[in-house]
Amino acid sequence: MKSFTYERADTVAAATAAFARAKDARFIAGGTNLLDLMKLEIETPAHLIDVSRLALDRIDATPEGGLRIGAMVRNTDLASDTRVRRDYGLLSRALVAGASGQLRNKATTAGNLLQRTRCPYFYDTNQPCNKRKPGTGCAAIGGFHRLHAVIGASDACIATHPSDMAVAMRALDASVETVDAAGKARVIPIADFYRAPGTTPHLETVLAPGELITAVTLPKPVGGTHIYHKVRDRASYAFALISVGVVVQKDGTGRVALGGVGYKPWRVSAADAELPRGAKAVTAALLDGAKPGHENAYKLPLVERTLAGVLAQAKG
Amino acid sequence: MKFDTPATTNPIDRLKVVGKPTNRIDGPLKTTGTAPYAYERHDVAANQAYGYVVGSAIAKGRIASINLDDAKAAPGVVAIVTAADAGTLGKGNFNTAKLLGGPEIEHYHQAIALVVADSFEQARAAASLVRVEYVRAKGAYDLAAAMDTATKPKASFGVEADTSVGDFASAFASAPVTIDARYATPDHTHAMMEPHASIAAWQDDKLTLWTSNQMIAWSVGDMAKTLGIPKENIRLDSPYIGGGFGGKLFIRADALLAALGAKAAKRPVKVALPRPFVTNNTTHRPATIQRVRIGATADGKITAIGHESWSGDLPGGGPETAVAQTRLLYAGANRMTAMRLAVLDLPEGNAMRAPGEAPGLMALEIAVDEMAEKLGMDPIAFRVLNDTQVDPEKPSRPFSQRRLNECMQTGADKFGWARRNAKPGSARDGRWLVGMGVAAAFRNNLNGPSAARVRLDRSGIVTVETDMTDIGTGTYTIIAQTAAEMMGLPLDRIVVKLGDSAFPVSAGSGGQWGANSSTAGVYAACVKLREMVTEKLGFDAATAIFADGKVSVGRRSAALEKAADDSELVAEDKMEYGDLAEKYQQSTFGAHFAEVGVDAMTGEIRVRRMLAVCAAGRILNPKAARSQVIGAMTMGAGSALMEELAVDKRFGFFVNHDLAGYEVPVHADIPHQDVIFLDETDPTTSPMKAKGVGELGICGVAAAIANAVYNATGVRVRNYPITLDKLLDKLPDIA
Ligand SMILES: Cc1cc2nc3c(=O)[nH]c(=O)nc-3n(C[C@H](O)[C@H](O)[C@H](O)COP(=O)(O)OP(=O)(O)OC[C@H]3O[C@@H](n4cnc5c(N)ncnc54)[C@H](O)[C@@H]3O)c2cc1C
Ligand code: SF4
C-alpha cells in the first residue's frame, strides 16, 4: 500500500471541493473494496476523502411514489427496509445474495455500484491487465476465463461486473444521482451508467473524476413476482457464475436482468418482450451476439436453464 | 521403551479419562483469542521489525537484474535480503525448490527478496519498489501435455513406484466384466486459516524461531542445513498452529527469511506469507491423472485390478502416491499399480491431508461404483464380496484389524441405504434430483518414535513436555488425557507444553501418525515416572495402583505428590517400534455415505447429508476425533465440488490464489454430518491401541459425493471438481 493522506468530509459540497483540491484523490465509503485494492497496489490514491458519514444514509419516499436511497445507505439496511422488502423484493434478495453479513454492514449503495471486477488477473500485479494497467494486455483472454464475460466484452478486456445489487437496480430501472465538483447535479439512468470496455477497460462508468454519487432512486413499484437466482459453485459467499433477476407479472410479461455475463448488469428490452414466450426466446434475445470462450461457454445454457427455473417458480 | 509385541492390559485400559469425550484444554484460550499464534507473539522479543517477501513474477527463468535503490530509500526500511547477499545457503532435506530464489527462478512467487522495515505497511510499500528484470525460460505447466514425458520415480518413504502380482494383463483381458476409465484430480491448496508465519531473533550465533510448524525436529534440521549452522544453535517454538494440513510440515520462506532478515537488520524480524503466497510460494497437493482398470467374474469377484497415476513436480520432487490404497484395499489375484512423474515447473507439490489416498480414492472409488453398476450389484455388496483380511500383494501379512465390511453395513443401516434407487436419475424432490453414494475410506496407520518428559511437582501437578505439535487437532488434550490416565489424576492436574525444540523429540503431526505416536511416547515417559514414584514411596512397582490422586498397594496408600516432597521427579522416555508394522498391515477403515440434491435446471449440487463410519483403533477423545472427521468430510466435500487451483498454462502459476478465488465449503454447503466410530482397539499399534483418524476422514468422501451425483443425475463426471458446467448438457431437457 502506498502512503496516503486522509480527510473526512462532513457535507457533500465539502467532499467534492476536497476532491477538486487534492491530487489523485478517491472517495472512500465502506472501504470493503477500495481498501483491498489499495493493499495490493491495484489502486494507489494519494488522498482519501471519507464520505461514509455524509448525511446520505436515508431512504425516502419520492413524490413519484418511488424511493430515493441515499448513497451511504448500507447494504444491510437497504435489504431489510420494509418498503424495499415489500415493493422491491428483487433488490432485497439480490443484496442478501451478495458477500457476507459483515461486509453488507459496511458496504454502501454507491460503493456497491462502483465495486471493481473480480477477474483474478486484475488482482495479480505481475500479470498483464488492461484494466489495471492500460496497454499491458489481457491475461484472461487465452488464460483462465471460466468466470468471465460472454457478452459485451472486447479484445482488451473480458471482465464482468460482480455486483448482485446492480442487477436488481437494472431490472428495476434505477437512476443514479450525482453532484460534480462544480456542484452540478445530474441523474444518470442505470442503463447508461456503465461503460463498455472497448479499448479503455479502465474507464468503467460515465462518472467524471470527482463526481460524487448522492443517491440511487427507484421509480414507483411495478408489482409482480420478484425472484433473484444467483448460481455459484458453493452455496454462499461467492460471486455469481451467472445470476438472473426477474419481475414477472400475472400475464407473463415482465423484465429480466442478468449478472455475471458482462461488464454491466445485462438487460435488453427485446428480451423483456419475449418473456411470455419463455426462457429460450428470452435468452436468445438477451445473449444475442454472445462470444464466449471454451471455459465459459456453459454460461449460455446456464442462463437459459436458470431462467426457465425462475419462470416456472414465478408461475407457482 | 520398545514396543515389539502386541499390547496386553495396561493402565490406559481403565479408560477413566482416555476414551471419554473431552473438551479441549486449550479451547478457552482459542475461543477468547488468547492463544498466541506465531505472528502475534509480540512479547517474546523486543523491537520486532517487519519483513515483507517479494515473490518472483515469473515461473521459470532468471533474474537479469535487481534494483534495490528505491526500496532502500523508502521510509522505515531497515534491511533488504536477496540471494545475492545472503551468503551461501543450503537446501533442506524436505524442500524441493530453494526457499530464497535467484538468480535462477524455479517457480512463480518463489521468494527473491525480503524487505525489512519498522512497520508492516512500510515493508510492504517498499517491497513494491524492488525492481526486477527477468529473463523468462520455457517451462512445463500442463500435466496432461507432459504425461508422455513422465518417468518412473524412485521409491519415496518406502513406497515403490510400481508393484505387480500375478498376471494382470491377461487376467484383465479375459475377465468377463471390465472397466477401464481415466480420472483427473486437480491441484489443491491447504487453505489453512493461519498463513505461514515466523518471528526470528539472533543472540550471537544462536537463533530462536517462533513459528507455525507441524514437525519441529525435521524443521530444526532443515533450518540448520539451510543456514549452515549446528542444530544445537537453533530453537524452534510452535505451541499453537492455525491449521497445517501438511503445508507446514517443513520450513518455508517465512522461517528462512525471518532468520536472514533478523541477521541483516540486527534485530528480531517477523514475516507472514500473504495469502497468495500460501498457494504459489509454498507446497500444494499435486494434480493427478489416473487410470483404473478392474476385471471381475460375472458374479462380481475381482480377478484383476490395475491403477496407474501420473503427477508432476519440480525437478527433484516426488509423485503423488495416488495408487497406494489400491495395493491393499480389495482382493484380486492379478494386480498392478504404477506411478509416473513428469517434470512440471509449477510451485512445489507435496503432502496435503492424506497424500496419496485422498486423490487415489477419488478415482478408485468411482471406478468401484462404476464396476458394481456394470455387474448389476449393489456397490456395498460388491465391496463386501471383495474384502480381504490379508495384504493382497503379500498374503502372509494379515491386517491387524480390518472391519471395512462392518463400517459399510453399519453405515448402510444408519443412512437408510436401502431407500436408494439403484437406477440413476430416478429420485426427485421438486426441482431437485436426489441421489445417494457410498465409498470406502482407507488410510494406513503410521507410527513414529516419539519421546516425552514428565515432571511431578510437590503440589501434585504433572507437566508433560514434548516437541509434539497441536495443529488444531486436539493434541494437547489427548496428551493430557494420557498422562492423567497413567498417573491416576484428574485432567486439571496435568499441564501440557508442546512445540518447543528444547523438549524431547516427538513424532510430530502429519500422516495421521501424531495421535497414537505422541501419546505412546507420553505413555513410555509415564511408565518411568510411575517407577520413580513407587521407588520413592517404597511401593511395589508391579502391583501399585495409581488412581484418584493416590498410589496404593493393598491397603497402603499415599498421595501421589508425596513422592515429590523433597524434589521434583522428572522422567523422560521415548517409544520406539519393533517390526509389528511389518508383520501386520496396520490400516484404518471407514465408509462414507452422502446424499446430494442436484438442481435439475441449473445443475447446482448441494450435499444434503453425510455419514462416516470409522474403524480406527481406540478413539482417545471421541469429541476431538469427531471434529477431525467432520472437518475432513467438509474438506472432502470441497474436493468433490469446488476446490481446484486453476493453472495458467502459459505463465505457469495458480491463478485463483486467494480465498475468494479458491473456494472451500462454507457453512451453507455443509449439511447434517454424522460420525460413528466402531468400538475397537488395536493391540499391535502401541500400548494406546489407537491409530490415526484425522486423515481417514477425508479419504473416499469426494468419491461418495461423486457417486451420489451420478445416482441423482445419471451423469458420470470423472474429472474433479464436479461443477455444474460439467453436468449441464446432460441434465434433463427443460420443458
Ligand atoms: C470477500 C468479499 C465478498 C464479496 N461478495 C460479493 C458478492 O457476492 N456480491 C456482490 O455484489 N458484492 C460482493 N462483494 C463486494 C461488496 O459488495 C463491495 O465491496 C461493496 O459493495 C463496496 O461498497 P463500499 O461502500 O465498501 O465501497 P468502497 O470500497 O468504499 O468504495 C468502492 C468504490 O466506490 C467509490 N465510491 C464510494 N462511494 C462513492 C460515492 N458516494 N461517490 C462516488 N464514488 C464512490 C470509491 O472511491 C471506490 O472506488 C464482496 C466483497 C468482499 C470483500
Ligand atoms: S479481463 Fe479485464 S480485468 Fe481481467 S485481465 Fe483482462 S483486462 Fe484485466
Side-chain angles (χ1 to χ4, degrees):
Chain A
M1 190 187 280
K2 292 270 194 300
S3 289
F4 59 89
T5 50
Y6 168 93
E7 74 184 280
R8 185 188 293 158
D10 295 324
T11 64
V12 168
T16 52
F19 197 101
R21 246 191 336 265
K23 232 186 103 207
D24 211 358
R26 209 80 89 243
F27 297 124
I28 183 163
T32 59
N33 190 222
L34 183 57
L35 273 179
D36 280 357
L37 296 170
M38 286 170 65
K39 289 177 186 171
L40 295 164
E41 299 196 359
I42 294 158
E43 302 231 30
T44 52
H47 186 65
L48 286 185
I49 300 155
D50 185 346
V51 295
S52 68
R53 306 202 195 176
L54 294 181
L56 299 173
D57 58 350
R58 294 175 45 130
I59 305 174
D60 294 315
T62 63
E64 295 77 31
L67 288 180
R68 184 168 189 278
I69 302 158
M72 292 300 116
V73 172
R74 300 299 193 259
N75 287 177
T76 298
D77 296 332
L78 183 56
S80 55
D81 183 90
T82 48
R83 292 159 296 179
V84 172
R85 289 172 54 186
R86 185 188 62 218
D87 297 332
Y88 306 95
L90 176 57
L91 177 58
S92 185
R93 284 171 201 137
L95 280 162
V96 297
S100 67
Q102 293 92 328
L103 284 158
R104 294 193 298 266
N105 290 343
K106 280 297 267 183
T108 63
T109 309
N112 193 314
L113 286 178
L114 294 175
Q115 64 174 293
R116 306 200 67 191
T117 186
R118 292 283 160 174
C119 168
Y121 295 100
F122 175 71
Y123 276 82
D124 187 335
T125 49
N126 290 327
Q127 304 307 323
C129 170
N130 289 322
K131 189 186 272 301
R132 175 168 32 76
K133 217 169 171 196
T136 54
C138 170
I141 297 174
F144 173 58
H145 63 276
R146 178 172 178 262
L147 310 171
H148 285 76
V150 292
I151 192 159
S154 72
D155 290 345
C157 179
I158 57 170
T160 60
H161 194 271
S163 170
D164 292 296
M165 182 193 82
V167 176
M169 292 292 195
R170 180 68 184 92
L172 296 169
D173 282 330
S175 302
V176 181
E177 296 186 0
T178 68
V179 178
D180 71 10
K184 211 171 122 279
R186 64 166 169 157
V187 178
I188 309 161
I190 190 152
D192 304 331
F193 186 71
Y194 295 104
R195 289 170 70 139
T199 55
T200 53
H202 59 293
L203 303 174
E204 294 170 353
T205 69
V206 298
L207 294 182
E211 191 173 355
L212 182 80
I213 299 179
T214 51
V216 176
T217 52
L218 291 172
K220 72 177 195 307
V222 294
T225 301
H226 291 222
I227 300 173
Y228 187 72
H229 192 136
K230 180 177 182 183
V231 183
R232 41 193 159 178
D233 288 324
R234 67 179 172 192
S236 175
Y237 202 35
F239 289 94
L241 297 170
I242 62 114
S243 66
V244 175
V246 297
V247 177
V248 187
Q249 307 296 344
K250 284 222 162 60
D251 62 3
T253 63
R255 30 177 96 186
V256 52
L258 303 178
V261 298
Y263 65 89
K264 63 176 181 180
W266 205 258
R267 184 167 168 210
V268 174
S269 42
D272 283 359
E274 296 285 346
L275 268 170
R277 271 179 290 281
K280 198 175 184 71
V282 177
T283 308
L286 259 175
L287 296 181
D288 183 28
K291 271 194 243 135
H294 67 279
E295 285 183 2
N296 61 359
Y298 72 93
K299 289 193 175 187
L300 276 54
L302 182 58
V303 165
E304 185 183 331
R305 299 185 68 101
T306 307
L307 186 59
V310 163
L311 294 180
Q313 189 188 337
K315 266 196 202 133
Chain B
M1 180 178 286
K2 182 129 188 195
F3 183 72
D4 47 14
T5 52
T8 53
T9 303
N10 67 46
I12 297 294
D13 294 324
R14 292 183 299 183
L15 298 181
K16 289 209 165 118
V17 195
V18 169
K20 294 260 186 299
T22 306
N23 287 340
R24 291 181 190 204
I25 60 176
D26 52 330
L29 290 178
K30 289 184 173 168
T31 50
T32 56
T34 46
Y37 289 87
Y39 202 71
E40 302 157 352
R41 301 191 71 182
H42 312 296
D43 54 340
V44 291
N47 198 27
Q48 297 175 11
Y50 295 78
Y52 198 84
V53 181
V54 180
S56 167
I58 64 164
K60 191 173 163 69
R62 205 164 41 78
I63 295 174
S65 70
I66 194 162
N67 182 335
L68 303 176
D69 297 347
D70 291 349
K72 275 188 177 148
V77 171
V78 181
I80 300 180
V81 176
T82 66
D85 49 39
T88 315
L89 294 175
K91 199 176 76 182
N93 296 334
F94 295 97
N95 294 137
T96 305
K98 286 186 178 167
L99 297 180
L100 176 58
E104 252 16 86
I105 296 298
E106 295 164 285
H107 64 86
Y108 191 71
H109 271 175
Q110 185 173 29
I112 55 169
L114 182 82
V115 178
V116 182
D118 289 324
S119 76
F120 172 77
E121 287 74 16
Q122 288 170 332
R124 183 172 60 184
S128 73
L129 299 175
V130 173
R131 317 238 176 263
V132 189
E133 299 290 332
Y134 299 95
V135 183
R136 282 179 197 264
K138 207 168 125 41
Y141 310 115
D142 182 349
L143 177 60
M147 264 175 88
D148 294 340
T149 65
T151 57
K152 181 175 162 182
K154 60 179 192 301
S156 74
F157 288 99
V159 181
E160 293 293 334
D162 293 0
T163 60
S164 158
V165 173
D167 181 354
F168 171 79
S170 22
F172 182 73
S174 62
V177 185
T178 59
I179 66 144
D180 177 352
R182 191 181 273 216
Y183 305 85
T185 65
D187 299 281
H188 290 152
T189 179
H190 305 86
M192 71 297 272
M193 285 250 256
E194 182 205 22
H196 301 68
S198 299
I199 301 174
W202 290 88
Q203 202 153 39
D204 304 321
D205 55 357
K206 293 212 161 32
L207 170 69
T208 306
L209 263 180
W210 295 273
T211 188
S212 182
N213 190 288
Q214 301 176 224
M215 296 294 296
I216 301 301
W218 287 5
S219 297
V220 168
D222 269 4
M223 199 67 193
K225 194 168 171 213
T226 309
L227 291 173
I229 63 174
K231 276 197 227 177
E232 297 66 43
N233 289 3
I234 297 176
R235 181 177 155 226
L236 230 78
D237 188 34
S238 179
Y240 298 107
I241 297 156
F245 306 118
K248 294 175 181 165
L249 290 168
F250 327 113
I251 53 162
R252 298 298 318 170
D254 58 302
L256 177 65
L257 289 174
L260 296 174
K263 188 141 234 179
K266 300 190 174 57
R267 62 192 259 207
V269 167
K270 57 160 63 176
V271 178
L273 296 186
R275 184 57 69 179
F277 278 60
V278 174
T279 306
N280 280 299
N281 174 276
T282 76
T283 60
H284 68 278
R285 187 203 298 288
T288 65
I289 295 170
Q290 303 178 46
R291 181 189 189 193
V292 180
R293 284 174 288 173
I294 304 175
T297 61
D299 56 1
K301 278 263 183 210
I302 294 175
T303 53
I305 184 162
H307 193 163
E308 293 151 273
S309 172
W310 290 260
S311 60
D313 203 357
L314 288 166
E320 178 67 28
T321 55
V323 305
Q325 71 289 320
T326 309
R327 295 171 179 174
L328 290 161
L329 192 46
Y330 297 113
N334 303 287
R335 355 183 22 103
M336 66 81 62
T337 65
M339 292 185 276
R340 292 295 175 266
L341 177 63
V343 168
L344 290 183
D345 300 295
L346 289 169
E348 182 170 332
N350 217 313
M352 178 169 151
R353 199 173 201 169
E357 280 96 333
L361 286 161
M362 286 168 82
L364 178 66
E365 288 299 285
I366 295 184
V368 166
D369 200 67
E370 297 195 52
M371 190 66 187
E373 191 188 27
K374 256 198 164 172
L375 287 158
M377 286 179 79
D378 180 87
I380 293 181
F382 177 58
R383 288 183 176 90
V384 167
L385 181 68
N386 289 290
D387 186 57
T388 171
Q389 291 294 317
V390 297
D391 174 348
E393 289 189 350
K394 298 183 197 75
S396 61
R397 288 176 77 225
F399 283 95
S400 60
Q401 297 259 7
R402 176 167 165 134
R403 292 162 75 194
L404 176 60
N405 290 355
E406 208 176 322
C407 291
M408 287 280 163
Q409 277 145 354
T410 305
D413 290 346
K414 177 85 184 179
F415 201 68
W417 183 252
R419 293 202 303 275
R420 169 182 177 267
N421 193 328
K423 190 166 166 284
S426 54
R428 201 137 179 169
D429 172 10
R431 63 189 278 173
W432 294 92
L433 303 166
V434 181
M436 287 191 214
V438 67
F442 174 92
R443 172 83 177 145
N444 278 340
N445 177 67
L446 303 169
N447 292 329
S450 198
R453 186 156 57 222
V454 284
R455 304 169 179 276
L456 172 66
D457 72 13
R458 59 196 305 178
S459 61
I461 299 286
V462 169
T463 302
V464 186
E465 296 169 344
T466 163
D467 83 356
M468 180 60 191
T469 50
D470 186 327
I471 57 175
T473 44
T475 315
Y476 276 104
T477 311
I478 54 171
I479 283 183
Q481 288 174 280
T482 304
E485 195 76 74
M486 289 300 289
M487 302 312 297
L489 290 172
L491 213 50
D492 62 5
R493 316 297 316 262
I494 311 293
V495 173
V496 181
K497 297 185 175 172
L498 300 182
D500 189 333
S501 62
F503 297 150
V505 174
S506 72
S509 298
Q512 79 170 13
W513 63 62
N516 184 47
S517 302
S518 69
T519 53
V522 173
Y523 173 97
C526 286
V527 167
K528 256 201 179 152
L529 184 61
R530 285 165 60 113
E531 286 163 13
M532 291 170 83
V533 167
T534 48
E535 191 184 310
K536 194 88 189 174
L537 296 175
F539 284 14
D540 170 40
T543 52
I545 291 169
F546 287 66
D548 306 323
K550 293 195 287 280
V551 190
S552 28
V553 175
R555 249 179 284 148
R556 254 189 84 207
S557 128
L560 180 68
E561 60 263 34
K562 235 20 229 131
D565 248 0
D566 341 324
S567 71
E568 186 187 46
L569 297 186
V570 184
E572 183 176 330
D573 201 7
K574 176 170 164 188
M575 183 61 83
E576 291 172 291
Y577 295 89
D579 63 355
L580 287 174
E582 280 95 69
K583 281 196 193 131
Y584 299 96
Q585 176 55 41
Q586 300 169 350
S587 304
T588 60
F589 300 89
H592 283 292
F593 292 80
E595 182 179 292
V596 304
V598 180
D599 186 318
M601 293 301 203
T602 64
E604 286 163 287
I605 304 165
R606 298 290 178 255
V607 176
R608 298 185 150 199
R609 55 195 184 99
M610 303 172 86
L611 166 69
V613 185
C614 302
R618 172 174 281 155
I619 300 303
L620 303 172
N621 179 356
K623 197 165 183 176
R626 177 180 180 278
S627 295
Q628 278 298 294
V629 175
I630 63 175
M633 289 157 81
T634 305
M635 221 166 175
S639 58
L641 300 178
M642 60 195 83
E643 289 186 43
E644 172 173 27
L645 285 170
V647 179
D648 188 303
K649 292 169 188 152
R650 307 156 305 168
F651 299 128
F653 73 109
F654 300 125
V655 186
N656 52 342
H657 48 48
D658 60 31
L659 294 181
Y662 184 85
E663 290 180 12
V664 298
V666 293
H667 285 92
D669 292 296
I670 299 308
H672 186 73
Q673 293 175 317
D674 255 332
V675 183
I676 297 171
F677 293 108
L678 297 190
D679 190 11
E680 75 173 27
T681 51
D682 190 333
T684 70
T685 62
S686 87
M688 303 304 294
K689 304 174 187 171
K691 293 176 181 171
V693 71
E695 296 190 332
L696 177 69
I698 193 175
C699 294
V701 176
I705 292 171
N707 294 338
V709 170
Y710 174 74
N711 182 242
T713 61
V715 185
R716 189 64 86 176
V717 179
R718 300 185 184 84
N719 175 13
Y720 290 97
I722 306 170
T723 46
L724 57 88
D725 42 322
K726 296 173 187 170
L727 298 177
L728 225 43
D729 60 343
K730 300 175 199 89
L731 289 178
D733 282 342
I734 46 177

